[in-house]
Amino acid sequence: MRKILATAALATLALGAVAVPASAGGINGSGTLICGGTGSTKTKPGLGSGGGTLASTTSVKATLTSCSGTGDGATVASGSAKGGSSSATNGCGDLAGPGTTNMSITVKWKGSAKLNPTTVNFATLTGDASGATLAFTLSGGSVSGSFAGSTPVSVGTTTMDVATYLAGCGSKKGVTGFTLSSIAASFS
């Protein structure tokens, strides 16, 4: 679960996994940036399948919109994020409490200035099952490319409620992904 959430959060943040060199025709943007958006995650094998002891990978895709910021961040209109993570296990209990993640996301920016992508390698994933639907926060780690050196935070809210999640965790297929109905990503 932590892996899927981390991937979703990263996608949500639309933070980049690979920095593009200046020779790509853009600049490494600086300043601050906040975007909203939506996205999805996929985990193979599903969380909880095989007793939660299988190695798994999670991929995430997100569309970032409604962006605002300062400096070069003020030129960003939207972004597209792709990334993923891997885990030695696929247990459903990973959502509880803060934990580590190796989620890496690459964000390509669109706007009035040509900015190089942003690479984000998150360090911490914190799940939240206290609301009507599952949510998660990705934070910490490193940022390179545009907005390098900033502090990344991505908060994603899923469309899945806790009961549906627990039922999926107990199924043969497991929880294979999440739809992210709301993403808030920031670089400050």
Side-chain angles (χ1 to χ4, degrees), residues 126-166:
T126 303
D128 181 1
S130 65
T133 59
L134 298 173
F136 54 87
T137 300
L138 290 168
S139 60
S142 63
V143 177
S144 60
S146 288
F147 309 105
S150 64
T151 301
V153 176
S154 180
V155 178
T157 301
T158 73
T159 59
M160 186 177 292
D161 62 56
V162 175
T164 302
Y165 176 71
L166 293 175

Side-chain angles (χ1 to χ4, degrees), residues 27-38:
I27 62 167
N28 284 336
S30 61
T32 63
L33 181 62
I34 298 173
C35 296
T38 58

Side-chain angles (χ1 to χ4, degrees), residues 108-137:
K108 294 182 180 180
W109 305 109
K110 291 186 181 180
S112 60
K114 184 170 176 140
L115 301 182
N116 289 329
T118 298
T119 299
V120 178
N121 295 299
F122 286 99
T124 304
L125 171 67
T126 303
D128 181 1
S130 65
T133 59
L134 298 173
F136 54 87
T137 300

Side-chain angles (χ1 to χ4, degrees), residues 13 15 42 44 58 60 75 82-83 122 127-129 134 179 182:
L13 266 183
L15 301 178
K42 292 183 181 180
K44 294 181 181 179
T58 299
V60 69
T75 70
K82 290 184 181 181
F122 286 99
D128 181 1
L134 298 173
T179 297
S182 172

Side-chain angles (χ1 to χ4, degrees), residues 63-82:
T63 300
L64 300 178
T65 58
S66 305
C67 298
S68 64
T70 64
D72 294 317
T75 70
V76 174
S78 64
S80 61
K82 290 184 181 181

Side-chain angles (χ1 to χ4, degrees), residues 72-97:
D72 294 317
T75 70
V76 174
S78 64
S80 61
K82 290 184 181 181
S85 64
S86 61
S87 178
T89 63
N90 64 335
C92 284
D94 291 343
L95 177 60

